[in-house]
């Protein structure tokens, strides 16, 4: 049953209805004919998300090896094993989560509210005089990136680059690999910067918590 991401965007209700005709778990092929399973049933999605022992977040458990993936596969950044809180399990997840909670303490709840409000106001100021706008592309999507850039203490010019790079990475298109490389370089530079010059931001908190670069 050939279905495209364009169909999902144009008519998501029809897209998922057609998928559910084949059951709550559907065998699919990602770009490059990489086999995968798509869970469409509400009960089944809850089971997958809550059962961390049976459905691990550790991508090192994926049965497909990197050698089996197409060369230059744009979804590779989303399937590569990473040492981060999202993909860690067990005690490693607990350790990284504790470090992140510590880093949030470097900001404080009051300052965090100011960061988010400032980011939101700046985005609104950019289109408020136009009389009309697309709220998804000009507000909803860029707001998390803008707020996170400030939370982690990135300079404004690097935070602006994130607005281009992160959507490119998440969309998994032909420029996803280049975006991933550029993002990695920006982050590595910033981590080195905060080792030398700690500030009251999340990155400095993670360094202070003893995480490796």
């Amino acid at each position: 049953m050939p279905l495209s991401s364009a169909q999902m965007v144009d008519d998501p209700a029809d897209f998922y209805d057609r998928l559910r005709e084949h059951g709550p778990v559907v065998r699919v092929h990602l770009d490059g004919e990489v086999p995968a399973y798509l869970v469409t049933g509400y009960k089944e999605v809850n089971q997958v998300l809550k059962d961390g022992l049976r459905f691990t977040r550790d991508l090192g458990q994926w049965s497909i090896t990197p050698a089996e993936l197409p060369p230059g596969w744009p979804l590779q950044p989303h399937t590569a094993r990473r040492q981060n809180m999202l993909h860690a399990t067990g005690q490693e997840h607990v350790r990284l989560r504790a470090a992140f909670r510590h880093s949030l303490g470097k900001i404080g709840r009051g300052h965090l509210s100011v960061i988010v409000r400032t980011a939101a106001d700046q985005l609104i100021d950019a289109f408020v005089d136009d009389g009309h706008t697309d709220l998804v592309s000009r507000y909803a999507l860029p707001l998390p990136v803008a707020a996170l850039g400030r939370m982690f203490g990135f300079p404004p010019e690097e935070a602006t680059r994130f607005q281009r790079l992160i959507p490119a990475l998440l969309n998994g298109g032909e420029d996803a690999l280049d975006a991933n490389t550029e993002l990695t370089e920006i982050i590595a530079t910033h981590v080195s910067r905060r080792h030398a010059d700690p500030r009251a931001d999340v990155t400095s908190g993670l360094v202070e918590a003893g995480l490796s670069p």
Side-chain angles (χ1 to χ4, degrees):
M1 180 181 63
L3 290 172
S4 68
S5 57
Q7 289 173 282
M8 180 181 68
V9 172
D10 291 341
D11 192 347
D14 177 67
F15 179 87
Y16 285 106
D17 282 344
R18 292 177 64 189
L19 283 178
R20 292 189 183 103
E21 291 175 359
H22 296 263
V25 181
V26 183
R27 294 193 65 171
V28 298
H29 281 88
L30 305 175
D31 290 345
E33 294 302 306
V34 176
Y37 288 95
L38 178 65
V39 183
T40 62
Y42 180 79
K43 180 182 71 174
E44 290 75 17
V45 166
N46 271 309
Q47 181 181 359
V48 169
L49 293 178
K50 292 179 179 179
D51 188 347
L53 294 177
R54 183 175 301 175
F55 301 102
T56 177
R57 297 175 179 177
D58 182 0
L59 287 170
Q61 301 298 314
W62 196 26
S63 59
I64 297 177
T65 65
E68 296 176 273
L69 298 175
W73 192 46
L75 297 179
Q76 187 273 337
H78 301 288
T79 61
R81 191 175 193 180
R82 297 176 183 267
Q83 291 179 292
N84 63 24
M85 188 173 67
L86 179 63
H87 296 144
T89 58
Q91 288 304 307
E92 180 65 2
H93 177 78
V94 172
R95 182 181 76 89
L96 295 176
R97 182 178 177 83
F100 187 65
R101 288 175 64 89
H102 167 81
S103 71
L104 287 177
K106 299 287 287 186
I107 301 177
R109 183 172 297 178
H111 188 201
L112 180 59
S113 296
V114 172
I115 286 175
V116 175
R117 188 162 56 248
T118 301
D121 287 345
Q122 289 183 349
L123 290 170
I124 293 170
D125 288 344
F127 60 74
V128 69
D129 292 331
D130 295 347
H132 60 86
T133 193
D134 183 280
L135 284 176
V136 173
S137 63
R138 298 191 68 184
Y139 184 74
L141 291 179
L143 178 58
V145 179
L148 287 169
R150 289 170 171 80
M151 287 172 59
F152 281 81
F154 285 96
E157 64 274 11
E158 293 179 359
T160 299
R161 291 166 69 186
F162 286 164
Q163 297 289 356
R164 169 179 58 86
L165 295 171
I166 291 179
L169 173 63
L170 296 179
N171 288 339
E174 57 184 17
D175 53 352
L177 293 180
D178 289 339
N180 183 63
T181 299
E182 189 173 346
L183 276 169
T184 302
E185 292 172 353
I186 294 172
I187 293 170
T189 298
H190 185 57
V191 170
S192 298
R193 181 188 297 135
R194 285 296 176 258
H195 269 283
D197 182 23
R199 302 283 182 90
D201 56 36
V202 169
T203 307
S204 298
L206 293 173
V207 171
E208 187 179 272
L211 297 190
S212 67

